[in-house]
Coordinates of all heavy atoms in Angstrom, one line a residue:
N175 N 48.7 11.3 72.3 CA 47.3 11.2 72.4 C 46.6 12.5 72.9 O 46.6 12.9 74.1 CB 47.0 10.1 73.5 CG 45.6 9.5 73.4 OD1 44.9 9.8 72.5 ND2 45.3 8.6 74.3
F176 N 46.3 13.4 72.0 CA 45.9 14.7 72.2 C 44.5 14.7 72.9 O 43.5 14.2 72.4 CB 45.7 15.5 70.8 CG 47.1 15.5 70.1 CD1 47.4 14.7 69.2 CD2 48.1 16.5 70.6 CE1 48.6 14.7 68.6 CE2 49.2 16.5 69.9 CZ 49.5 15.7 68.9
D177 N 44.5 15.3 74.1 CA 43.2 15.4 74.8 C 42.6 14.1 75.1 O 41.3 14.0 74.9 CB 42.3 16.4 74.1 CG 41.1 16.9 75.1 OD1 41.3 16.8 76.3 OD2 40.2 17.4 74.6
G178 N 43.3 13.1 75.4 CA 42.9 11.9 75.6 C 42.2 11.2 74.4 O 41.3 10.3 74.6
G179 N 42.6 11.6 73.3 CA 42.0 11.1 72.0 C 40.9 11.9 71.5 O 40.4 11.6 70.4
D180 N 40.4 12.9 72.2 CA 39.2 13.7 71.8 C 39.6 14.5 70.6 O 38.6 14.9 69.8 CB 38.8 14.7 73.0 CG 38.3 13.9 74.1 OD1 37.8 12.8 74.0 OD2 38.3 14.6 75.2
C181 N 40.8 14.9 70.3 CA 41.3 15.7 69.2 C 41.7 14.9 67.9 O 42.1 15.4 67.1 CB 42.3 16.6 69.6 SG 41.7 17.9 70.9
D182 N 41.6 13.5 68.1 CA 42.1 12.8 66.9 C 41.3 13.2 65.6 O 42.1 13.3 64.5 CB 41.8 11.3 67.2 CG 42.8 10.7 68.3 OD1 43.8 11.4 68.6 OD2 42.6 9.6 68.8
D183 N 40.0 13.2 65.6 CA 39.4 13.6 64.3 C 39.7 14.9 63.9 O 39.9 15.2 62.7 CB 37.8 13.4 64.5 CG 37.4 12.1 64.5 OD1 38.1 11.1 64.0 OD2 36.3 11.9 65.1
F184 N 39.8 15.9 64.8 CA 40.2 17.3 64.5 C 41.6 17.3 63.9 O 41.7 17.9 62.8 CB 40.2 18.1 65.9 CG 40.6 19.5 65.7 CD1 39.8 20.5 65.2 CD2 42.0 19.8 66.1 CE1 40.2 21.8 65.2 CE2 42.3 21.2 66.1 CZ 41.5 22.2 65.6
N185 N 42.4 16.6 64.4 CA 43.9 16.5 63.8 C 43.9 15.8 62.5 O 44.7 16.2 61.6 CB 44.9 16.0 64.9 CG 45.1 16.8 66.1 OD1 44.9 18.1 65.9 ND2 45.2 16.2 67.2
K186 N 43.1 14.8 62.3 CA 43.1 14.1 61.1 C 42.7 15.0 59.9 O 43.0 14.7 58.8 CB 42.3 12.9 61.1 CG 42.8 11.7 61.9 CD 41.9 10.6 62.1 CE 42.4 9.5 63.1 NZ 41.4 8.4 63.3
K187 N 41.8 15.9 60.3 CA 41.3 16.9 59.2 C 42.3 17.9 58.8 O 42.1 18.7 57.8 CB 40.1 17.5 59.7 CG 38.9 16.7 59.9 CD 37.7 17.4 60.4 CE 36.5 16.4 60.5 NZ 35.4 17.0 61.2
G188 N 43.5 17.8 59.4 CA 44.7 18.7 59.0 C 44.8 20.0 59.8 O 45.6 20.9 59.5
Y189 N 43.9 20.2 60.8 CA 44.0 21.4 61.6 C 45.2 21.1 62.6 O 45.3 20.0 63.2 CB 42.8 21.6 62.4 CG 41.7 21.8 61.5 CD1 40.6 20.9 61.5 CD2 41.5 22.8 60.6 CE1 39.4 20.9 60.8 CE2 40.4 22.9 59.7 CZ 39.3 22.0 59.8 OH 38.3 22.0 59.0
G190 N 46.0 22.0 62.8 CA 47.2 21.9 63.7 C 46.9 22.4 65.2 O 45.8 23.0 65.4
I191 N 48.0 22.4 66.0 CA 47.8 22.9 67.3 C 47.6 24.3 67.4 O 47.2 24.9 68.5 CB 49.0 22.4 68.2 CG1 50.3 22.9 67.7 CG2 49.0 20.9 68.3 CD1 51.5 22.6 68.5
D192 N 48.0 25.1 66.4 CA 47.8 26.6 66.4 C 46.3 27.0 66.0 O 46.0 28.1 66.0 CB 48.8 27.3 65.4 CG 50.2 27.1 66.1 OD1 50.3 27.2 67.3 OD2 51.1 27.0 65.2
C193 N 45.5 26.0 65.5 CA 44.2 26.3 65.3 C 43.4 26.2 66.6 O 43.2 25.2 67.1 CB 43.6 25.2 64.2 SG 41.9 25.4 63.8
K194 N 42.9 27.4 67.0 CA 42.1 27.3 68.3 C 40.8 28.1 68.2 O 40.5 29.2 68.8 CB 43.0 28.1 69.2 CG 44.3 27.3 69.5 CD 45.2 28.1 70.6 CE 46.4 27.4 71.0 NZ 47.0 26.5 70.3
P195 N 39.8 27.5 67.4 CA 38.5 28.1 67.4 C 37.8 27.9 68.7 O 38.1 27.0 69.5 CB 37.8 27.4 66.2 CG 38.5 26.0 66.3 CD 39.9 26.3 66.6
Y196 N 36.7 28.7 68.9 CA 35.9 28.5 70.2 C 35.2 27.2 70.2 O 34.9 26.6 71.2 CB 34.9 29.6 70.3 CG 35.6 30.9 70.6 CD1 35.4 32.1 69.9 CD2 36.4 31.0 71.8 CE1 36.0 33.2 70.2 CE2 37.1 32.2 72.1 CZ 36.9 33.4 71.3 OH 37.4 34.5 71.6
N197 N 34.8 26.7 68.9 CA 34.1 25.5 68.8 C 34.6 24.7 67.7 O 34.4 25.1 66.4 CB 32.6 25.7 68.7 CG 31.7 24.5 68.6 OD1 32.2 23.5 68.4 ND2 30.4 24.7 68.9
T198 N 35.1 23.5 67.8 CA 35.8 22.8 66.7 C 34.7 22.2 65.7 O 35.0 21.9 64.6 CB 36.7 21.7 67.2 OG1 36.0 20.7 68.0 CG2 37.9 22.3 67.9
T199 N 33.6 22.0 66.2 CA 32.5 21.4 65.4 C 32.0 22.3 64.3 O 31.3 21.9 63.5 CB 31.3 20.9 66.3 OG1 30.8 21.9 66.9 CG2 31.8 19.9 67.3
T200 N 32.3 23.7 64.4 CA 31.9 24.5 63.4 C 32.8 24.7 62.2 O 32.4 25.2 61.2 CB 31.7 26.0 64.0 OG1 32.9 26.5 64.4 CG2 30.7 25.9 65.1
L201 N 33.9 24.1 62.3 CA 34.9 24.2 61.1 C 34.4 23.1 60.1 O 34.1 22.0 60.3 CB 36.3 23.6 61.6 CG 37.0 24.5 62.7 CD1 38.2 23.8 63.1 CD2 37.2 25.9 62.1
G202 N 34.2 23.7 58.9 CA 33.8 23.0 57.7 C 32.4 22.6 57.7 O 32.0 21.6 57.1
D203 N 31.5 23.4 58.4 CA 30.1 23.1 58.5 C 29.3 23.8 57.4 O 28.0 23.8 57.5 CB 29.6 23.4 59.9 CG 29.5 24.8 60.3 OD1 30.1 25.7 59.5 OD2 29.0 25.2 61.2
G204 N 30.0 24.6 56.6 CA 29.2 25.3 55.5 C 28.9 26.8 55.9 O 28.3 27.5 55.0
V205 N 29.2 27.2 57.0 CA 28.9 28.6 57.5 C 30.3 29.2 58.0 O 31.0 28.7 58.7 CB 28.0 28.6 58.7 CG1 27.7 30.0 59.2 CG2 26.7 27.9 58.3
C206 N 30.5 30.4 57.4 CA 31.7 31.1 57.7 C 31.6 31.8 59.2 O 30.9 32.8 59.2 CB 32.1 32.2 56.7 SG 33.5 33.3 57.0
D207 N 32.1 31.2 60.1 CA 32.0 31.6 61.5 C 33.1 32.5 61.9 O 34.0 32.1 62.7 CB 31.8 30.4 62.4 CG 30.7 29.5 62.1 OD1 29.6 29.9 62.1 OD2 30.9 28.4 61.8
V208 N 33.2 33.7 61.4 CA 34.4 34.6 61.7 C 34.5 34.9 63.1 O 35.7 35.0 63.7 CB 34.4 35.9 60.8 CG1 34.6 35.5 59.3 CG2 33.2 36.6 61.0
W209 N 33.5 35.0 63.8 CA 33.5 35.5 65.2 C 33.9 34.3 66.2 O 34.1 34.5 67.3 CB 32.2 36.1 65.7 CG 31.0 35.4 65.4 CD1 30.4 35.4 64.1 CD2 30.3 34.5 66.2 NE1 29.2 34.5 64.2 CE2 29.2 34.0 65.5 CE3 30.5 34.1 67.5 CZ2 28.4 33.0 66.0 CZ3 29.6 33.2 68.1 CH2 28.6 32.7 67.3
L210 N 34.0 33.1 65.6 CA 34.4 31.9 66.5 C 35.9 31.7 66.3 O 36.3 30.6 66.8 CB 33.6 30.7 66.1 CG 32.0 30.7 66.4 CD1 31.4 29.6 65.9 CD2 32.0 30.8 67.9
Q211 N 36.6 32.6 65.7 CA 38.1 32.5 65.6 C 38.5 31.4 64.7 O 39.6 30.9 64.8 CB 38.7 32.3 67.1 CG 38.4 33.3 68.0 CD 38.9 34.7 67.6 OE1 39.9 34.8 66.9 NE2 38.2 35.7 68.1
G212 N 37.7 30.9 63.8 CA 38.1 29.9 62.8 C 38.6 30.4 61.5 O 39.2 29.6 60.7
N213 N 38.5 31.7 61.2 CA 38.9 32.2 59.8 C 40.4 32.6 60.0 O 40.8 33.7 59.9 CB 38.0 33.4 59.5 CG 38.3 33.9 58.1 OD1 38.8 33.1 57.3 ND2 38.0 35.1 57.8
T214 N 41.2 31.6 60.0 CA 42.7 31.8 60.1 C 43.4 30.8 59.2 O 42.8 29.7 58.9 CB 43.2 31.6 61.5 OG1 43.0 30.2 62.0 CG2 42.5 32.6 62.6
P215 N 44.6 31.1 58.8 CA 45.3 30.1 58.0 C 45.5 28.7 58.7 O 45.4 27.7 58.1 CB 46.6 30.8 57.7 CG 46.4 32.2 57.9 CD 45.3 32.3 58.9
E216 N 45.7 28.8 60.1 CA 45.9 27.7 60.8 C 44.7 26.8 60.9 O 44.7 25.5 61.1 CB 46.2 28.0 62.3 CG 47.6 28.7 62.4 CD 47.4 30.2 62.0 OE1 46.4 30.7 62.1 OE2 48.6 30.8 61.9
C217 N 43.4 27.3 60.7 CA 42.2 26.6 60.7 C 41.7 26.4 59.3 O 40.5 26.1 59.2 CB 41.2 27.3 61.6 SG 41.5 27.3 63.4
N218 N 42.5 26.6 58.3 CA 42.1 26.5 56.9 C 40.9 27.4 56.6 O 40.1 26.9 56.0 CB 41.9 24.9 56.5 CG 41.8 24.8 55.1 OD1 42.2 25.6 54.3 ND2 41.1 23.8 54.7
F219 N 40.9 28.5 57.2 CA 39.8 29.4 57.0 C 38.4 28.9 57.2 O 37.6 28.8 56.4 CB 39.9 30.2 55.6 CG 41.3 30.9 55.4 CD1 42.3 30.3 54.8 CD2 41.5 32.0 56.1 CE1 43.5 30.9 54.6 CE2 42.8 32.6 56.0 CZ 43.8 32.1 55.2
D220 N 38.4 28.4 58.5 CA 37.1 27.8 59.0 C 36.8 26.6 58.1 O 35.6 26.3 57.7 CB 35.9 28.8 58.9 CG 34.7 28.3 59.7 OD1 34.9 27.5 60.7 OD2 33.6 28.8 59.6
G221 N 37.8 25.7 57.8 CA 37.6 24.5 57.1 C 37.1 24.8 55.7 O 36.4 23.9 55.0
G222 N 37.5 25.9 55.1 CA 37.1 26.4 53.8 C 35.7 27.2 53.7 O 35.4 27.7 52.7
D223 N 35.1 27.2 54.8 CA 33.8 27.9 54.9 C 33.9 29.4 54.6 O 33.0 30.0 54.1 CB 33.1 27.7 56.2 CG 32.7 26.3 56.5 OD1 32.5 25.5 55.5 OD2 32.5 26.0 57.6
C224 N 35.1 30.0 54.9 CA 35.3 31.4 54.8 C 36.0 31.8 53.4 O 36.3 33.0 53.2 CB 36.0 32.1 55.9 SG 35.1 32.0 57.4
D225 N 36.2 30.8 52.6 CA 36.9 31.1 51.3 C 36.2 32.3 50.5 O 36.8 33.2 50.0 CB 37.1 29.9 50.5 CG 38.0 28.9 51.0 OD1 38.8 29.2 52.0 OD2 38.1 27.7 50.5
D226 N 34.9 32.2 50.3 CA 34.2 33.2 49.5 C 34.2 34.5 50.2 O 34.3 35.6 49.7 CB 32.7 32.7 49.3 CG 32.6 31.6 48.3 OD1 33.5 31.5 47.4 OD2 31.6 30.9 48.3
F227 N 34.0 34.5 51.5 CA 34.1 35.7 52.4 C 35.4 36.4 52.2 O 35.5 37.6 51.9 CB 33.8 35.3 53.9 CG 34.0 36.5 54.8 CD1 33.0 37.4 55.0 CD2 35.1 36.6 55.6 CE1 33.1 38.4 56.0 CE2 35.3 37.6 56.5 CZ 34.3 38.5 56.7
N228 N 36.5 35.7 52.3 CA 37.9 36.3 52.1 C 38.1 36.8 50.7 O 38.8 37.7 50.4 CB 38.9 35.2 52.6 CG 38.8 35.0 54.1 OD1 38.5 35.9 54.8 ND2 39.2 33.8 54.4
K229 N 37.5 36.1 49.7 CA 37.7 36.5 48.3 C 37.0 37.8 48.0 O 37.4 38.5 47.0 CB 37.1 35.4 47.3 CG 38.0 34.1 47.2 CD 37.4 33.1 46.3 CE 38.1 31.8 46.3 NZ 37.4 30.7 45.6
K230 N 36.1 38.1 48.8 CA 35.4 39.4 48.6 C 36.2 40.6 49.2 O 35.8 41.8 49.0 CB 33.9 39.4 49.3 CG 33.0 38.4 48.6 CD 31.7 38.4 49.4 CE 30.7 37.4 48.7 NZ 29.5 37.2 49.4
G231 N 37.3 40.3 49.7 CA 38.2 41.4 50.2 C 38.2 41.7 51.7 O 38.7 42.6 52.1
Y232 N 37.3 40.9 52.4 CA 37.2 41.1 53.8 C 38.4 40.2 54.4 O 38.7 39.1 54.0 CB 35.9 40.5 54.4 CG 34.7 41.2 53.8 CD1 33.9 40.5 53.0 CD2 34.5 42.6 53.9 CE1 32.8 41.1 52.4 CE2 33.4 43.1 53.3 CZ 32.4 42.4 52.5 OH 31.4 43.0 51.9
G233 N 39.1 40.8 55.3 CA 40.2 40.0 55.9 C 39.8 39.4 57.3 O 38.7 39.3 57.7
I234 N 40.8 38.7 57.8 CA 40.6 37.9 59.0 C 40.4 38.7 60.2 O 39.9 38.2 61.1 CB 41.8 36.9 59.3 CG1 43.1 37.6 59.5 CG2 41.9 35.9 58.2 CD1 44.2 36.8 60.0
D235 N 40.5 40.0 60.1 CA 40.2 40.9 61.2 C 38.8 41.5 61.1 O 38.3 42.2 62.0 CB 41.2 42.1 61.3 CG 42.6 41.6 61.7 OD1 42.7 40.6 62.5 OD2 43.5 42.1 61.2
C236 N 38.0 41.2 60.0 CA 36.6 41.5 59.9 C 35.8 40.5 60.6 O 35.8 39.3 60.1 CB 36.3 41.6 58.4 SG 34.5 41.9 58.1
K237 N 35.2 40.8 61.7 CA 34.4 39.8 62.4 C 33.0 40.3 62.7 O 32.7 40.5 63.9 CB 35.2 39.6 63.8 CG 36.5 38.8 63.5 CD 37.2 38.6 64.8 CE 38.5 37.9 64.8 NZ 39.3 38.0 63.8
P238 N 32.2 40.3 61.7 CA 30.8 40.7 61.9 C 30.1 39.4 62.5 O 30.5 38.3 62.4 CB 30.2 41.0 60.6 CG 31.0 40.2 59.7 CD 32.4 40.1 60.3
Y239 N 28.9 39.7 63.2 CA 28.2 38.5 63.7 C 27.5 37.7 62.7 O 27.4 36.5 62.8 CB 27.1 39.0 64.6 CG 27.7 39.6 66.0 CD1 27.4 40.9 66.3 CD2 28.4 38.7 66.8 CE1 28.0 41.4 67.6 CE2 28.9 39.3 68.0 CZ 28.6 40.5 68.4 OH 29.2 41.0 69.5
N240 N 27.2 38.3 61.6 CA 26.6 37.5 60.4 C 27.3 38.0 59.1 O 27.1 39.2 58.7 CB 25.1 37.9 60.4 CG 24.4 37.1 59.4 OD1 25.1 36.5 58.4 ND2 23.1 37.0 59.5
T241 N 28.1 37.2 58.5 CA 28.8 37.5 57.2 C 27.9 37.8 56.1 O 28.3 38.6 55.1 CB 29.8 36.4 56.9 OG1 29.1 35.2 56.6 CG2 30.9 36.3 58.0
T242 N 26.7 37.4 56.1 CA 25.8 37.6 54.9 C 25.2 39.0 54.9 O 24.6 39.4 53.9 CB 24.6 36.6 55.0 OG1 23.9 36.7 56.2 CG2 25.1 35.1 54.9
T243 N 25.4 39.8 56.0 CA 24.8 41.1 56.0 C 25.8 42.1 55.4 O 25.4 43.2 55.2 CB 24.4 41.5 57.5 OG1 25.7 41.5 58.2 CG2 23.4 40.6 58.1
L244 N 27.1 41.8 55.1 CA 28.0 42.6 54.5 C 27.7 42.9 53.1 O 27.4 42.0 52.3 CB 29.4 42.2 54.7 CG 29.9 42.0 56.1 CD1 31.4 41.3 56.0 CD2 30.0 43.3 56.8
G245 N 27.5 44.2 52.8 CA 27.2 44.6 51.5 C 25.9 44.3 50.9 O 25.6 44.2 49.7
D246 N 24.9 44.2 51.9 CA 23.6 44.0 51.6 C 22.7 45.2 51.4 O 21.5 45.2 51.3 CB 22.8 43.1 52.6 CG 22.7 43.7 54.0 OD1 23.3 44.8 54.2 OD2 22.1 43.1 54.9
G247 N 23.3 46.4 51.5 CA 22.6 47.7 51.4 C 22.1 48.3 52.7 O 21.5 49.3 52.7
V248 N 22.3 47.6 53.7 CA 21.8 48.0 55.1 C 23.0 48.2 56.0 O 23.8 47.3 56.1 CB 20.8 47.1 55.6 CG1 20.4 47.5 57.0 CG2 19.7 46.8 54.8
C249 N 23.1 49.4 56.7 CA 24.2 49.6 57.6 C 23.9 49.0 58.8 O 23.1 49.4 59.7 CB 24.4 51.1 57.7 SG 25.7 51.5 58.9
D250 N 24.6 47.8 59.1 CA 24.3 47.1 60.2 C 25.3 47.3 61.4 O 26.2 46.5 61.6 CB 24.4 45.5 60.0 CG 23.3 45.2 58.9 OD1 22.1 45.4 59.2 OD2 23.7 44.7 57.9
V251 N 25.3 48.5 61.9 CA 26.3 48.8 62.9 C 26.3 47.9 64.1 O 27.3 47.6 64.7 CB 26.2 50.4 63.4 CG1 26.5 51.2 62.2 CG2 24.9 50.6 64.0
W252 N 25.2 47.4 64.5 CA 25.1 46.6 65.8 C 25.6 45.2 65.5 O 25.9 44.4 66.4 CB 23.6 46.6 66.2 CG 22.7 46.1 65.2 CD1 22.1 46.9 64.3 CD2 22.2 44.8 65.1 NE1 21.2 46.1 63.5 CE2 21.3 44.8 64.0 CE3 22.4 43.6 65.7 CZ2 20.5 43.7 63.6 CZ3 21.7 42.5 65.3 CH2 20.8 42.6 64.3
L253 N 25.8 44.8 64.2 CA 26.4 43.5 63.8 C 27.9 43.6 63.7 O 28.5 42.6 63.1 CB 25.7 42.9 62.6 CG 24.2 42.6 62.8 CD1 23.6 42.2 61.3 CD2 24.0 41.5 63.7
Q254 N 28.5 44.7 64.0 CA 29.9 44.8 64.0 C 30.6 44.8 62.5 O 31.7 44.4 62.4 CB 30.7 43.8 64.8 CG 30.3 44.0 66.4 CD 31.1 43.2 67.3 OE1 32.0 42.5 66.9 NE2 30.9 43.4 68.6
G255 N 29.8 45.3 61.6 CA 30.3 45.3 60.3 C 30.7 46.7 59.9 O 31.4 46.9 58.8
N256 N 30.6 47.7 60.7 CA 30.9 49.1 60.4 C 32.4 49.4 60.9 O 32.6 50.1 61.7 CB 30.0 50.0 61.0 CG 30.1 51.5 60.5 OD1 30.6 51.6 59.4 ND2 29.7 52.4 61.3
T257 N 33.3 48.6 60.3 CA 34.7 48.7 60.6 C 35.5 48.9 59.4 O 35.1 48.4 58.4 CB 35.1 47.6 61.5 OG1 35.1 46.4 60.6 CG2 34.4 47.4 62.7
P258 N 36.7 49.4 59.5 CA 37.6 49.5 58.3 C 37.9 48.1 57.8 O 38.0 47.8 56.6 CB 39.0 50.1 58.8 CG 38.5 50.8 60.1 CD 37.3 50.1 60.6
E259 N 38.1 47.1 58.7 CA 38.5 45.7 58.2 C 37.2 45.1 57.4 O 37.5 44.2 56.6 CB 38.6 44.8 59.5 CG 39.9 45.3 60.3 CD 39.6 46.4 61.3 OE1 38.4 46.7 61.4 OE2 40.5 46.9 61.9
C260 N 36.0 45.6 57.6 CA 34.9 45.0 56.9 C 34.4 46.0 55.8 O 33.4 45.9 55.3 CB 33.7 44.8 57.9 SG 34.0 43.6 59.1
N261 N 35.3 47.0 55.5 CA 35.0 48.0 54.4 C 33.8 48.8 54.7 O 33.0 49.2 53.8 CB 34.9 47.3 53.1 CG 36.1 46.6 52.6 OD1 37.2 47.0 53.0 ND2 36.0 45.5 51.9
F262 N 33.5 49.1 56.0 CA 32.4 49.9 56.6 C 31.1 49.3 56.0 O 30.3 50.1 55.4 CB 32.7 51.3 56.2 CG 33.9 51.9 56.9 CD1 35.0 52.1 56.2 CD2 33.8 52.1 58.3 CE1 36.2 52.7 56.9 CE2 35.0 52.6 58.9 CZ 36.1 52.8 58.3

């Protein structure tokens, strides 16, 4: 009985004990939340939300605050996208 039953739905979705996002409700919500620690194999890449992000060549170590700003023609250094992991 994981966390007194609080994790039953989480576990039924196939996430295991090694999936440790900051907020479990953001997994599979349609937004790639890389900075919430959900873009990992254990979390099914944020419940599938980060599949397109990862297909673009950004890895799990690329953690900008907003994934939609990558490659938009604007250098967003304050959004943490100016890193080798995010292809600068």
Side-chain angles (χ1 to χ4, degrees):
N175 200 5
F176 300 96
D177 194 20
D180 294 341
C181 294
D182 289 347
D183 286 339
F184 177 78
N185 292 329
K186 286 178 188 174
K187 292 179 182 177
Y189 306 116
I191 59 173
D192 291 325
C193 175
K194 295 179 178 21
Y196 290 123
N197 185 343
T198 60
T199 63
T200 63
L201 296 173
D203 67 350
V205 177
C206 179
D207 302 300
V208 292
W209 52 275
L210 291 176
Q211 305 296 332
N213 189 24
T214 64
E216 296 81 12
C217 293
N218 193 24
F219 302 104
D220 197 21
D223 294 339
C224 292
D225 289 347
D226 288 338
F227 175 78
N228 293 330
K229 286 178 188 173
K230 291 178 182 176
Y232 306 115
I234 60 174
D235 292 323
C236 174
K237 294 180 175 34
Y239 288 118
N240 184 343
T241 60
T242 63
T243 63
L244 295 175
D246 66 353
V248 178
C249 179
D250 302 302
V251 293
W252 57 277
L253 292 175
Q254 297 188 359
N256 190 28
T257 64
E259 297 82 8
C260 295
N261 299 331
F262 299 102

